[in-house]
Structure formats: structure tokens, C-alpha cells
Amino acid sequence: MSAGFRRAGVVLAGGGAYFATVYLTYNYLSASQADRDRANERVEGSGGTKSYVDDPNRTETFQQIAYAYDDNIDKDELVMGIKLMRRWMLFHHARGDVLEVGAGT
């Protein structure tokens, strides 16, 4: 009987996390640009962190960290299993000449 309660608890917790994520994502994506601007103004006006999206030094910052990015992200890819998944996909699905393409954020 306790296994059934445990399973129900896991299902309810997972469902709650799923619906909370969907709700928050929907609210974020449906917010207008004016709402986002007002939120950024409140943060900047209160001495909090500022939005770096409009920072003119953004490209310069990316150029400074680009040389070491692959070395820094290497451990994360290993822990998440991306390297193993990449190797498995190449072994089982790739035929002929293969080009792996990546895009950054």
C-alpha cells in the first residue's frame, strides 16, 4: 500500500512542477514589451542588477570569454552526458561525411 502512496506522491509532485513551469512560462511569454520594460526600470531604479541586453560592451565581453568557452563548458557537457550522446548518435546514425554544427546563445 505504501508503494501506491509513494507513486501517487511522485506523480503529484511531478505534475505540480510541470504545471507550475507551464504557467510561469506562459505568463512570461505573454507579457508585453511594455511590462518587461517597466520591470527592468524597477530593477535598475532600486539599485539592483541591470539588464545587459542593451549594454554596448556586450560583444566585447563575449569576445573576451570566447577563447576559453569550450574548455569551461567541457566539464558540464561531460556531466550532462552530451559527449556520450554525441558519440552514440554519430556511431549509430551518421553515414558518409558529417558536419556537426553548433550555435551559441
Side-chain angles (χ1 to χ4, degrees):
M1 193 67 163
S2 69
F5 285 123
R6 191 176 332 165
R7 182 176 294 159
V10 170
V11 169
L12 286 174
Y18 172 76
F19 285 112
T21 303
V22 169
Y23 174 76
L24 293 172
T25 303
Y26 173 77
N27 282 334
Y28 175 76
L29 294 177
S30 64
S32 67
Q33 185 63 37
D35 292 338
R36 291 188 195 120
D37 290 341
R38 280 194 302 273
N40 283 335
E41 288 172 7
R42 281 195 305 265
V43 169
E44 290 175 2
S46 66
T49 60
K50 70 174 195 170
S51 173
Y52 290 98
V53 174
D54 297 325
D55 189 358
N57 298 325
R58 185 175 58 158
T59 304
E60 180 182 324
T61 302
F62 289 147
Q63 291 300 326
Q64 290 174 354
I65 64 172
Y67 75 95
Y69 181 79
D70 286 334
D71 295 333
N72 292 335
I73 203 72
D74 192 43
K75 183 192 253 184
D76 294 332
E77 287 185 350
L78 181 66
V79 170
M80 290 188 294
I82 292 175
K83 288 183 166 202
L84 184 62
M85 181 184 64
R86 184 181 296 134
R87 186 175 298 140
W88 181 83
M89 289 178 70
L90 285 172
F91 181 77
H92 289 288
H93 297 288
R95 300 287 183 258
D97 296 329
V98 177
L99 172 65
E100 180 183 5
V101 178
T105 55

